[in-house]
Amino acid sequence: MKVEAEHFMILSLIAYIAFFSHPPPSFVTMVLSNPFGQLLALVGVVYVYMKKPVVGLLLGIAYLVSSTTLEYMDESKPKEKEKAQPSSGAPKVDMAQIGKLAQMLGKGSKLPMEKGKDVTQKPPETNTVKPDPKTVEKFTPF
């Protein structure tokens, strides 16, 4: 296999995307911080895509990953106060009622268990069918 410059570009772009894009290098951030640098980068991506589509596609992915335009946070508006959730209509729980079961049972006592006969029955015995050794089944191959 003949190794060309295109292969080195593909490997270097994959390495950049995998290892160096978060956070992007300061030079890339500086170039992509102004609109002229973004325009120049996009024109370069389109030009390379017209010549070598695979390299142009990887270069476009590298541009998107390195671009800070994907990360946007608007701090100008303070968060509005959260509205109170509407009532479900269920009655409010009375904390005095929670301990009633424990008071009825007393400390350390368990619920009473019923003692009685075992009402389960064993299944009836069935005769197992044994194959007839004199007959042989024949299967057809498909």
Side-chain angles (χ1 to χ4, degrees):
M1 182 173 138
K2 187 176 175 185
V3 179
E4 297 177 4
E6 181 179 353
H7 294 110
F8 288 120
M9 282 297 296
I10 290 172
L11 287 176
S12 63
L13 283 171
I14 290 173
Y16 174 78
I17 292 169
F19 301 114
F20 302 110
S21 60
H22 287 292
S26 60
F27 173 74
V28 175
T29 306
M30 184 181 67
V31 168
L32 296 177
S33 65
N34 58 14
F36 181 71
Q38 287 185 353
L39 180 67
L40 188 65
L42 286 174
V43 168
V45 168
V46 170
Y47 176 76
V48 172
Y49 184 77
M50 293 300 194
K51 298 293 180 182
K52 305 268 184 185
V54 176
V55 177
L57 182 66
L58 284 173
L59 198 60
I61 292 171
Y63 169 76
L64 288 176
V65 171
S66 297
S67 177
T68 57
T69 57
L70 294 177
E71 300 172 5
Y72 181 75
M73 183 172 149
D74 188 15
E75 294 184 14
S76 61
K77 293 182 189 176
K79 286 187 176 181
E80 293 180 13
K81 208 172 198 181
E82 292 183 16
K83 295 179 182 176
Q85 293 189 358
S87 172
S88 65
K92 297 205 178 221
V93 178
D94 185 17
M95 296 307 280
Q97 298 290 327
I98 289 179
K100 272 193 174 179
L101 180 62
Q103 289 174 357
M104 288 169 42
L105 292 175
K107 288 188 176 181
S109 63
K110 296 181 180 178
L111 289 174
M113 304 294 272
E114 289 186 26
K115 292 184 178 179
K117 293 182 180 178
D118 187 15
V119 292
T120 58
Q121 297 176 357
K122 292 183 180 179
E125 297 235 354
T126 59
N127 295 334
T128 56
V129 179
K130 296 183 180 179
D132 188 16
K134 295 178 185 176
T135 60
V136 178
E137 294 183 28
K138 294 184 180 181
F139 298 99
T140 59
F142 289 102

